[in-house]
Amino acid sequence: MAGSVLQAHDLWGGYPGTPVINGIDLTITAGDAPLGIIGPSGVGKTTLARLLRGTERPTRGQVTFNGRAIRRMPRREAKEFRAAVRFQSQDSMTVTDPRLTVAANLKEALKIARKAGRTHATTTAELLDAVALPEQFGKRAMITLSGGERQRVALATALATRPEILVLDEPFTAVDPQTRGEMARRLGAIMERLGTAAVVISHDLELVERMCPSVHFLAEGQFVASGPVSEVLANAEHPAVRDLAEAAPLAVQRFR
Ligand SMILES: Nc1ncnc2c1ncn2[C@@H]1O[C@H](COP(=O)(O)OP(=O)(O)OP(=O)(O)O)[C@@H](O)[C@H]1O
């Protein structure tokens, strides 16, 4: 598998009368360690994910996949882009068939990946383990799952399709904090083994800190601080970083 590259070049975007992203440069290469994007609520994290996915049109600059602008791609390359870069948000329920069992869905996703030449050395049991679910959980029908369980299975299904880059936008909102921590550890391990690069977009500092050796802090439409979470919070120079550090004093103590 060639190492795909997703890049934002001087990216600007937003909504009529609401500029949100004001000049961001970013490079994510398959095999990279997970990268976190953090920042307060409403700062533009989801907008950035939509721009990277191509569902939102930039007002300036562009996003490229392997050097080609994603919004002007021929159909075949657009298909390659969608297979190589998966986007998972809190309400995306990526399953192949909601009437099937969890295991049947995962097997179907593994089959799709194999057919597309994305060979996989993973089993449904390993995929369930990556999201902290036991193997017997595979027997459950999709329609019987809770919101949090569905989020976890959707993530396992996304992993089964073997993307090179996985963009996770607040993917664990319905999962309890303890399970979230366990998932962060296990997901980190399987993504490293599969060579899947991840962008983890969240305001959950603890989750991001567990998964990502390095983060960008988004404020006023730009990355105003970058580095490990502990360093970003400890050297809070930008007022938005200071505000977040003050709003979460326990988190800051933990990271110091
Ligand atoms: N479709 C839209 N039309 C107009 N404004 C929007 C639209 N979607 C988002 N916004 C505004 O753009 C800004 C950024 O929103 P966005 O959802 O990207 O922030 P966020 O950092 O992901 O927030 P959160 O952490 O709360 O999910 C907010 O002020 C939001 O109200």
Side-chain angles (χ1 to χ4, degrees):
M1 215 188 287
S4 289
V5 187
L6 180 68
Q7 282 181 298
H9 308 263
D10 187 28
L11 187 66
W12 294 64
Y15 311 96
T18 314
V20 177
I21 298 299
N22 304 323
I24 277 185
D25 290 289
L26 184 64
T27 299
I28 302 133
T29 306
D32 277 358
L35 170 75
I37 295 182
I38 59 174
S41 185
V43 79
K45 300 184 295 299
T46 295
T47 305
L48 177 59
R50 287 193 199 127
L51 288 162
L52 291 174
R53 188 179 197 168
T55 50
E56 203 64 57
R57 186 193 296 269
T59 50
R60 205 171 106 189
Q62 62 177 356
V63 175
T64 59
F65 173 66
N66 294 339
R68 297 287 292 261
I70 59 166
R71 292 191 63 88
R72 282 188 296 276
M73 268 181 180
R75 191 179 294 183
R76 194 176 56 79
E77 284 175 30
K79 200 172 154 201
E80 271 172 32
F81 170 58
R82 282 197 302 274
V85 188
R86 288 295 295 252
F87 290 80
Q88 189 76 21
S89 68
Q90 51 186 301
D91 41 38
S92 45
M93 287 298 148
T94 340
V95 288
T96 45
D97 189 339
R99 294 164 303 179
L100 297 179
T101 62
V102 169
N105 265 292
L106 291 173
K107 281 194 187 125
E108 198 56 36
L110 285 170
K111 207 158 79 189
I112 292 167
R114 263 196 308 274
K115 269 194 192 153
R118 313 179 87 75
T119 49
H120 225 308
T122 319
T123 61
T124 54
E126 279 173 312
L127 290 164
L128 287 171
D129 184 69
V131 291
L133 288 170
E135 189 175 356
Q136 310 86 281
F137 201 87
K139 297 194 186 112
R140 294 277 299 273
M142 284 304 303
I143 46 167
T144 65
L145 307 190
S146 72
E149 288 165 348
R150 239 176 292 146
Q151 277 188 343
R152 289 152 78 181
V153 171
L155 189 47
T157 311
L159 272 176
T161 63
R162 198 157 189 198
E164 292 177 64
I165 298 169
L166 195 50
V167 182
L168 306 174
D169 181 8
E170 301 284 8
F172 314 130
T173 45
V175 180
D176 65 85
Q178 202 183 334
T179 309
R180 231 181 281 163
E182 188 54 30
M183 277 174 66
R185 198 179 61 75
R186 295 184 191 200
L187 276 173
I190 196 167
M191 287 192 303
E192 190 177 346
R193 184 162 71 75
L194 297 176
T196 310
V199 180
V200 184
I201 299 175
S202 181
H203 51 235
D204 181 340
L205 296 180
E206 189 167 359
L207 172 86
V208 174
E209 203 266 345
R210 272 179 196 246
M211 282 188 84
C212 309
S214 172
V215 303
H216 292 310
F217 192 107
L218 182 63
E220 294 167 20
Q222 296 187 322
F223 293 145
V224 295
S226 300
V229 170
S230 53
E231 281 176 27
V232 167
L233 292 182
N235 308 317
E237 277 173 25
H238 192 281
V241 186
R242 265 206 307 273
D243 284 351
L244 192 76
E246 277 164 21
L250 283 176
V252 178
Q253 275 170 23
R254 203 176 47 244
F255 293 128
R256 272 196 175 137

